[in-house]
Every structure is written in C-alpha cells, then in structure tokens.
Amino acid sequence: MYTMKITSVECYLGKFITIKINTDEGISGFGEAGLAYGNCFKSAFGQCQDFSKLIIGMDPFNTEKIWEHLHRDTFWGMGGGIVLSSAMAAIDTACWDIKGKALKLPVYKLLGGKTNTKLRTYASQLQFGWRKRIEEHDSMQLLYEPKEYYDVVKDAVSDGYDAVKIDPVFAPTEPKPLAEVFTTQGNQVRGIYREQDLKRSVERIAAARDAAGDDVDIIVEIHSLLDANTASTLGAALKPYRVLYYEEPTMPCNPSLFLDIKHRSGLPLATGERISTRLNFRSFFEQRSIDVAQPDLCNTGGITETKKISDMAQVYDIGVQIHVCGGPIATAAALQVEAVIPNFVIHEEHNANLLSSYKRAGKYFYEPKNGFYEVPELPGIGQEMSDEYLETAQKVIIK
C-alpha cells in the first residue's frame, strides 16, 4: 500500500509562527500557529518544535490519526490549552496543504466542495485605523475621538465593505501611547461602568453608525476587556445602533455568563478566538449562549478541528465566522473552510493585512474586492510563505 512519509519539519519564528512540513515525495505544506500576537508566541514556537518531533515518519494524509496522536499521546494534549492546540493547528493545516498539492486540488474540494462561491467580508479592528491611515504610516494607530471613528468607517466603506468591526473600549478615555495601552491594560473596565467611559464608548459607535448609514453592518468587539456587569451595561446602551453581533463581551472561561449578558443586553453574542477544540465550544452550543462561533483555525486545532466545530455549531443553528488575526497562511486556510460550511456568516479581514510586513510575508497576496473574497483555486490551501520571510525568520529544523 502506497504511503507518503513526513521527513522533516521547518519551524519559523518571525512576525508569524509558521511551519513547513516536508515529505519523501518532495511535496511540502505550510501551517501557522495563531499566537504571534499577545504574549505566547515563543511558547507556541517551542510547542511546534516539540510536536513536530512526534510526526516524523507519519503519513500526512492521515490527518485524523495525527490529530489524535497529538491530542491523546502527549499527556497535556488532552485539555492542555491553546498553546498546545495552536501547534496542533499548524501541523494539521500543513498536512491538509500537502494533501491538496498531492491530489492537485484546493483543500475546499477535499472538505466537501463549495457551498459559498463568494465570501462576504468585513473590515476588522477599525479602532486602529483603515487603509488611508495604515498605508500612509505603515503602522496601526489607536483612534480616540468619535470623529475619527466616523472617518475610518467612511474609509472602509469606500473600499466596498458593507460590514465593519470596532472595539469602542480598547482606546482609553485619555490618549496614551499604543505600546502602553497594550502592556498596562489600563483600558480594562470592571465592576461599575463609569459614566464618562460608557459615554465615550457609545459616542464612538454612534459616530460609526452615522457614517455607515442603514446599509452597513457594525460588529462591536470588546476583546474580553469587560466583566459581565459592564458588558451588559454597554451592550444595552449600544442596542439602538443595530449591532450585528457583540464579540467577546467578557472572557470565555464561564459560558453561563454569556447567557446572562445576552439576556441583559438584548444583543446577539459571539466568541471563540481564545477557545481550544470542539470540547470547549460544547457548553456554548448546548446553552446557546452565543449566536456566532468564532474559532481561530490556527489556535483551535487546524482545518480538521474547525470543520468539526462548524458542523457542531450547525446542529444548534449557530453561525460561524472564523477568527483571522494572523499571517497569510491563516487567511488562506480560513477561506478554504469558509467556502465549504453552510453556516458561514462572514470573513474577517484584519487591518493588519494592510501592513507591508503582511503583504510581503506570503508568496501571494490576496485581498477582498468590493467586500468579497474569492477562494484561491491553487492546489492545497493556496498560499505559501515568501522566500523573503523564510530567509529572515528564525528557523529550527526537526528531522
């Protein structure tokens, strides 16, 4: 019986955490661990190396076997958290990339074929600006004044988007350097929502709605910066501005809190980027405390696991919007799954994708046209890391 074998794995640490799995057939596949932002990227890089040692000699076509091997035979794989599942995701995605290349088919055809021919897309994280600001400075800059939120929505709409996402809480009431906001977390609000904080958050979304008009959807993102009480207060105050859904209103460690926020705010809720594997989505689905699941394909276990999470969500009539906040591999892999699933809601186009470092990192550069993505038709996931990225990133080879 013919089998392909994994001969080595190249692990790369740069702006993104990526791997390249090589085989005895000369076919290679790319995957990504989605923890390059925040404070876990070096741990995910190390975990990719540890798990890569366990798949040498295995057949990359056996994605279920490899996934179960990493899940069950590594002690911490069972409930070990998002660092472990991000490494599993990188390996799984690279194996699917290899399968598609070997069969000369895009991955979506191996997952069941297209349900969605074009993927509606939203402009994400507008509190950091959009095209005019980001491409001018090649950096993200935190916005404070409601007028800035008005202008940035106009900027995204001029690109053809009919949906945007904004975090009205991330920027503190008083301007601070972006690095300080990230490191001190001084923008977090817990307990009683002070009137001036609530007022400013609402003013930002009100300005966005004014700019958007009636035909553009607004997703409100909170990044888990609020507790359940403040999230409920803000959500109720935002209800008149027709929020499409309310994302990560609080941390996802207690699913029952989402049910409380949902009832008190009257808004549809979403979460998922900090949740690992279908096992930890289960309570949210059974309680139906969320309306949109947001698994991060590069964190929660890869293409194999994200497809299973999406199928589970469909049983409870819950939509899926894959969380995309990574590199070119993350975007390409998400598009392959989103093309297939019937409960697809919308694709996330992060404004970090407008930075030159993102544009140069992939062999190909994809972006939406008039607010819609076309799914790449190349074999595999349709993306590889560029030679420039591979030459400049830190590299460890596992054989």
Side-chain angles (χ1 to χ4, degrees), residues 26 44 90 108 142 185 205 208 223 262 270 282 302 324:
Y108 76 78
L142 197 54
Q185 298 181 342
I205 297 302
H223 288 106
K262 186 176 181 180
R282 181 174 63 87
V324 183

Side-chain angles (χ1 to χ4, degrees), residues 106-125:
V107 165
Y108 76 78
K109 285 189 177 288
L110 307 182
L111 295 173
K114 280 185 183 177
T115 297
N116 311 298
T117 55
K118 290 198 338 181
L119 302 176
R120 186 189 180 203
T121 303
Y122 69 86
S124 184
Q125 306 301 333

Side-chain angles (χ1 to χ4, degrees), residues 177-397:
L178 185 56
E180 184 179 338
V181 175
F182 274 115
T183 56
T184 64
Q185 298 181 342
N187 52 338
Q188 295 198 6
V189 180
R190 298 190 180 94
I192 302 299
Y193 212 142
R194 297 185 308 168
E195 185 61 29
Q196 65 264 38
D197 294 328
L198 177 63
K199 182 173 181 289
R200 179 49 59 92
S201 296
V202 173
E203 285 174 343
R204 289 166 176 168
I205 297 302
R209 173 52 69 198
D210 190 25
D214 294 333
D215 297 329
V216 175
D217 286 318
I218 297 177
I219 301 163
V220 173
E221 158 86 288
I222 301 299
H223 288 106
S224 297
L225 294 172
L226 305 179
D227 64 12
N229 291 324
T230 53
S232 299
T233 300
L234 177 59
L238 292 177
K239 190 173 181 181
Y241 301 100
R242 303 186 304 284
V243 173
L244 184 63
Y245 50 86
Y246 195 32
E247 178 178 335
E248 277 204 312
T250 196
M251 61 181 178
C253 303
N254 188 345
S256 63
L257 290 180
F258 279 71
L259 202 58
D260 182 54
I261 295 168
K262 186 176 181 180
H263 290 157
R264 291 169 63 186
S265 70
L267 297 178
L269 301 190
T271 198
E273 69 187 82
R274 302 173 206 246
I275 303 175
S276 59
T277 78
R278 77 201 95 121
L279 303 173
N280 293 309
F281 274 92
R282 181 174 63 87
S283 294
F284 288 96
F285 294 163
E286 290 178 347
Q287 295 178 12
R288 214 185 184 288
S289 55
I290 57 173
D291 302 87
V292 179
Q294 298 173 305
D296 188 313
L297 184 148
C298 295
N299 283 343
T300 198
I303 290 173
T304 296
E305 192 69 1
T306 301
K307 179 62 164 59
K308 291 177 179 179
I309 291 167
S310 301
D311 292 340
M312 284 179 64
Q314 190 180 9
V315 173
Y316 296 90
D317 208 15
I318 290 171
V320 172
Q321 175 245 293
I322 294 177
H323 176 263
V324 183
C325 181
I329 300 301
T331 296
L335 294 173
Q336 295 293 328
V337 176
E338 290 168 337
V340 176
I341 57 174
N343 49 342
F344 165 74
V345 175
I346 196 167
H347 176 88
E348 178 174 17
E349 179 72 356
H350 202 288
N351 53 10
N353 295 5
L354 300 171
L355 298 171
S356 60
S357 56
Y358 177 95
K359 294 179 179 180
R360 294 197 307 267
K363 185 175 182 179
Y364 314 102
F365 177 62
Y366 302 114
E367 62 181 338
K369 292 180 174 61
N370 295 317
F372 285 84
Y373 255 112
E374 300 282 351
V375 181
E377 296 291 340
L378 294 172
I381 62 171
Q383 183 62 282
E384 298 182 356
M385 299 306 286
S386 68
D387 290 341
E388 176 186 347
Y389 180 86
L390 297 178
E391 290 168 1
T392 56
Q394 180 182 342
K395 177 181 177 180
V396 175
I397 301 177

Side-chain angles (χ1 to χ4, degrees), residues 14-68:
K15 183 176 177 61
F16 313 106
I17 306 159
T18 56
I19 68 166
K20 180 183 179 184
I21 294 181
N22 303 307
T23 68
D24 59 353
E25 295 292 319
I27 299 173
S28 300
F30 284 83
E32 181 175 339
L35 296 179
Y37 57 97
N39 293 294
C40 287
F41 68 103
K42 287 188 177 179
S43 59
F45 180 55
Q47 195 63 54
C48 284
Q49 295 171 55
D50 287 346
F51 276 1
S52 293
K53 297 171 186 176
L54 304 180
I55 64 170
I56 302 299
M58 297 187 74
D59 185 345
F61 270 71
N62 293 338
T63 44
E64 288 285 347
K65 182 177 181 179
I66 290 172
W67 203 97
E68 282 295 307

Side-chain angles (χ1 to χ4, degrees), residues 125-129 141-143 149 165-167 170 223:
Q125 306 301 333
L126 296 195
Q127 72 277 2
F128 295 117
Q141 299 175 330
L142 197 54
L143 308 184
Y149 285 75
K165 182 163 80 177
I166 299 169
D167 184 336
F170 203 95
H223 288 106

Side-chain angles (χ1 to χ4, degrees), residues 126-145 147-153 155 351 354-355:
L126 296 195
Q127 72 277 2
F128 295 117
W130 192 249
R131 191 176 303 274
K132 289 179 182 177
R133 283 176 175 262
I134 290 176
E135 292 187 343
E136 179 182 355
H137 303 283
D138 201 22
S139 65
M140 296 187 293
Q141 299 175 330
L142 197 54
L143 308 184
Y144 287 86
E145 297 302 319
K147 177 62 165 61
E148 294 178 298
Y149 285 75
Y150 179 96
D151 292 340
V152 76
V153 171
D155 187 14
N351 53 10
L354 300 171
L355 298 171

